[in-house]
Amino acid sequence: MGCSRAAVGVLLILVVLQVQLNRGQRSRLASAETRKRLYQRLRRLDEQFRRFQEMTLTHLQSIAESYNISYTMDSRFLMLTQHFEGISKEISSFRAATEQDLDSLKSWSRKLQRKTRRLELRLVSAERAVKENTRLAHRQLQEQRRAMTNLTQELGAQQGRIRAVEAQQGKIHHLQDALREQMSRLEDQMRSVQHTSGNALSRNEKNQVFSRRAEQPKVSKDNRMKHRLPPPAVRATSAPDPYSVQTPSQTTALPTSQPEETEQIHGLLHPPLRHKIPQHYTPEKPATICNVNSVLLFPSASTKNYVTFHTPFLTGIHELSVCIWLRVDAEYVGTLLSYATEDNDNTLVLYGRRASVLGNMDFVIGDPAYRELTTDNMLDGQWHHMCVVWSSIEGRFWHYIDRRLISTGSKFQKGYEIPPGGSMILGQEQDTVGGGFDQAEAFVGRLAGFALWTRALSPGEVSGVATGKGVPRGAALTLDDVEALHGSVQQVTCRCLEHCT
């Protein structure tokens, strides 16, 4: 900016000089003083012009240096641009790899969140179970204390009864002594009767009597008790035991004139026999639940015991009904049904863990969404029928046990679609597709009449299945579709539930 101003000044000066020279040429008659002044001014202008040239050269040199610097900067800027482009490419590749890593981290974080929620739920269930077990243990301890108190009281009562029995035994001994004395008196009377009657009988009559006695057949003790024959007479030579029985060869004939005394002795020595009450046979109850076809036996809690099916769903489903007969042989329900896909290993689950609250099980559709269902005393070792019905239209679900509606609700996975192409397993809960089993989630017991529909069954249809009136139409999956039995699982064919062992 300063150089341009100096150039303008120089031009003005030159214009002024040209004007002056023109004027000088026109007015040659100017005075000498004017020329002198003009020369002085010209000298000053010449000096100023020289200084201007020097300044201009200096400015031009600085401009040239600046141009060289700018050229160097341009080359460096070009190099930096190329380097920046390389860095940009590396950053783009790094960004793509980072996005892939972030996507994998997001998927893992989602899985970890699901696992964390499940663990939190399990911890809550475990805390509830611990509290429930503590309460039950406390209650059992109180019941045991009451039972011990009752046993102590009963023991005291039994001791009192024993003392009473001992007293009764003393009385019985006294009665036995009295009975022996009475028997000895009766023997004395019999001796006197025999002595008096013997004098009246003739020798021939005595021989006839003894001959008839000898000709009588000998009868054993059991036959006398069976036919209730009168006992033989007591020996007159010694005082017999009141509870002993004499054989006919050891007895003496009683006189016919003493029937009352003979009957009294018979009543004392032979009390009446006790008769057994016949037991009536109860016929077997006829079978009524005859729509199960087969039963699955899960003998123990093992990760090797499970049942697989062929591909259960070819298209996505929005309604679901699952009905099954079950008899639980453990203290928890375990996993009845597990359906896993690549995106979610808990797409559809019915299970109750060992650590969960006793008497409850989880109904999961699209983890982590679930509802807690009560088993309503299904852990009694008896057969029970259970149906679970779900519809995504309003998110409604219904839970039936033995034909009774136990619970219902809404807004449970409203609008959700269960995707096709997953893995269906009975008896184990999948943490990965077809695997990741946990022994604490295994089912132990028997399953019969399993059926799955891709529609919502009506209450009448549920009641018909539970009472053995048939199987509703359109079942998408039954035990006839089993692909393989794993571990120690057995499948037994039985048409009626009452005949399934």
Side-chain angles (χ1 to χ4, degrees):
M1 194 72 177
C3 294
S4 61
R5 289 180 180 177
V8 171
V10 171
L11 291 174
L12 291 175
I13 291 171
L14 291 175
V15 170
V16 170
L17 288 175
Q18 186 67 31
V19 171
Q20 292 294 333
L21 288 175
N22 292 331
R23 287 179 181 178
Q25 289 176 0
R26 291 176 183 176
S27 60
R28 292 179 179 179
L29 299 176
S31 62
E33 292 180 358
T34 302
R35 289 179 180 177
K36 187 178 179 179
R37 292 177 182 172
L38 182 60
Y39 287 146
Q40 290 177 353
R41 289 181 179 176
L42 287 174
R43 290 191 195 98
R44 289 195 296 272
L45 288 173
D46 185 47
E47 292 176 357
Q48 292 178 358
F49 183 74
R50 288 177 181 174
R51 289 196 296 271
F52 175 73
Q53 284 181 344
E54 292 176 357
M55 291 176 64
T56 304
L57 289 173
T58 303
H59 283 293
L60 290 174
Q61 289 176 357
S62 62
I63 289 169
E65 292 177 357
S66 299
Y67 176 76
N68 292 330
I69 291 171
S70 64
Y71 179 77
T72 305
M73 289 179 67
D74 289 339
S75 61
R76 290 182 179 179
F77 182 76
L78 181 61
M79 292 174 62
L80 288 174
T81 303
Q82 295 175 354
H83 185 62
F84 178 75
E85 289 177 355
I87 292 174
S88 299
K89 292 179 180 178
E90 292 180 357
I91 290 173
S92 298
S93 62
F94 178 74
R95 181 180 297 173
T98 305
E99 288 178 354
Q100 292 179 357
D101 294 337
L102 287 175
D103 291 337
S104 62
L105 286 175
K106 287 179 181 178
S107 63
W108 279 105
S109 64
R110 286 194 296 269
K111 291 183 179 179
L112 184 61
Q113 288 176 358
R114 290 199 298 268
K115 296 287 185 182
T116 304
R117 293 193 191 99
R118 291 175 58 190
L119 288 175
E120 290 176 353
L121 295 174
R122 291 174 181 174
L123 286 175
V124 172
S125 301
E127 291 177 355
R128 293 177 182 174
V130 169
K131 291 180 181 179
E132 184 68 19
N133 291 332
T134 304
R135 186 174 62 83
L136 291 175
H138 183 66
R139 183 183 299 174
Q140 290 177 357
L141 181 60
Q142 290 180 351
E143 291 178 355
Q144 290 177 357
R145 289 177 180 175
R146 294 193 194 98
M148 289 295 293
T149 304
N150 295 333
L151 286 175
T152 305
Q153 295 175 357
E154 187 175 355
L155 181 60
Q158 290 291 343
Q159 290 177 353
R161 294 190 189 97
I162 290 171
R163 287 192 292 270
V165 168
E166 290 176 352
Q168 293 292 334
Q169 287 180 352
K171 293 181 181 179
I172 290 171
H173 289 308
H174 291 300
L175 289 174
Q176 288 178 351
D177 295 337
L179 183 60
R180 289 190 181 94
E181 292 177 358
Q182 187 177 1
M183 291 296 296
S184 55
R185 287 195 297 270
L186 288 172
E187 288 176 358
D188 293 338
Q189 292 177 5
M190 289 170 64
R191 291 192 191 97
S192 62
V193 169
Q194 288 177 358
H195 180 70
T196 56
S197 63
N199 294 330
L201 292 173
S202 63
R203 186 177 299 275
N204 293 330
E205 292 175 352
K206 289 182 179 180
N207 292 332
Q208 292 176 0
V209 170
F210 283 113
S211 64
R212 284 195 301 269
R213 291 288 184 180
E215 291 174 356
Q216 290 179 356
K218 294 182 179 181
V219 183
S220 63
K221 177 182 176 181
D222 295 334
N223 291 332
R224 286 199 306 271
M225 294 297 290
K226 181 176 181 180
H227 300 285
R228 303 185 65 85
L229 294 174
V234 183
R235 290 182 63 181
T237 57
S238 62
D241 191 350
Y243 298 103
S244 63
V245 179
Q246 305 295 331
T247 60
S249 61
Q250 298 174 346
T251 59
T252 307
L254 291 176
T256 56
S257 62
Q258 300 292 334
E260 296 179 359
E261 294 179 359
T262 305
E263 292 178 358
Q264 291 178 358
I265 296 171
H266 179 271
L268 291 171
L269 296 178
H270 298 277
L273 295 174
R274 294 183 180 179
H275 298 281
K276 294 183 179 179
I277 301 174
Q279 296 180 353
H280 298 283
Y281 173 73
T282 302
E284 184 180 359
K285 184 179 179 180
T288 58
I289 310 299
C290 293
N291 59 350
V292 296
N293 293 332
S294 64
V295 60
L296 294 173
L297 173 60
F298 296 82
S300 61
S302 173
T303 56
K304 297 180 181 179
N305 296 339
Y306 61 97
V307 176
T308 57
F309 289 85
H310 299 286
T311 303
F313 308 130
L314 299 178
T315 59
I317 60 176
H318 299 85
E319 290 185 337
L320 179 76
S321 299
V322 178
C323 292
I324 191 170
W325 282 96
L326 68 156
R327 195 175 85 180
V328 182
D329 294 337
E331 296 179 353
Y332 59 98
V333 177
T335 303
L336 301 178
L337 171 69
S338 174
Y339 178 68
T341 59
E342 294 292 340
D343 296 331
N344 194 336
D345 54 9
N346 290 326
T347 303
L348 173 62
V349 184
L350 276 171
Y351 79 109
R353 286 176 54 87
R354 180 182 300 173
S356 62
V357 179
L358 297 179
N360 289 338
M361 64 184 303
D362 294 338
F363 176 35
V364 183
I365 293 182
D367 189 40
Y370 78 102
R371 291 294 184 270
E372 193 172 85
L373 307 178
T374 179
T375 55
D376 194 24
N377 300 323
M378 286 200 304
L379 304 177
D380 56 357
Q382 303 297 324
W383 282 106
H384 294 278
H385 187 263
M386 185 183 73
C387 276
V388 178
V389 182
W390 169 79
S391 175
S392 66
I393 297 175
E394 293 294 334
R396 297 291 305 275
F397 73 94
W398 299 266
H399 175 218
Y400 298 87
I401 294 180
D402 296 332
R403 296 195 307 167
R404 295 186 298 111
L405 181 62
I406 301 300
S407 61
T408 184
S410 60
K411 297 181 181 180
F412 177 38
Q413 290 294 66
K414 178 180 178 180
Y416 183 77
E417 177 183 312
I418 298 177
S423 171
M424 180 73 73
I425 285 180
L426 297 182
Q428 289 287 349
E429 195 273 327
Q430 306 173 77
D431 286 337
T432 59
V433 177
F437 302 142
D438 187 353
Q439 182 176 349
E441 298 173 340
F443 174 78
V444 181
R446 291 165 174 79
L447 299 178
F450 168 77
L452 184 148
W453 295 265
T454 56
R455 62 183 181 89
L457 295 182
S458 65
E461 290 176 320
V462 173
S463 179
V465 174
T467 55
K469 295 180 180 179
V471 178
R473 58 178 176 80
L477 201 66
T478 64
L479 293 183
D480 296 334
D481 301 315
V482 170
E483 180 182 18
L485 306 175
H486 299 268
S488 302
V489 180
Q490 298 178 5
Q491 186 174 12
V492 180
T493 301
C494 56
R495 183 171 176 271
C496 299
L497 184 68
E498 291 84 354
H499 301 159
C500 297
T501 58

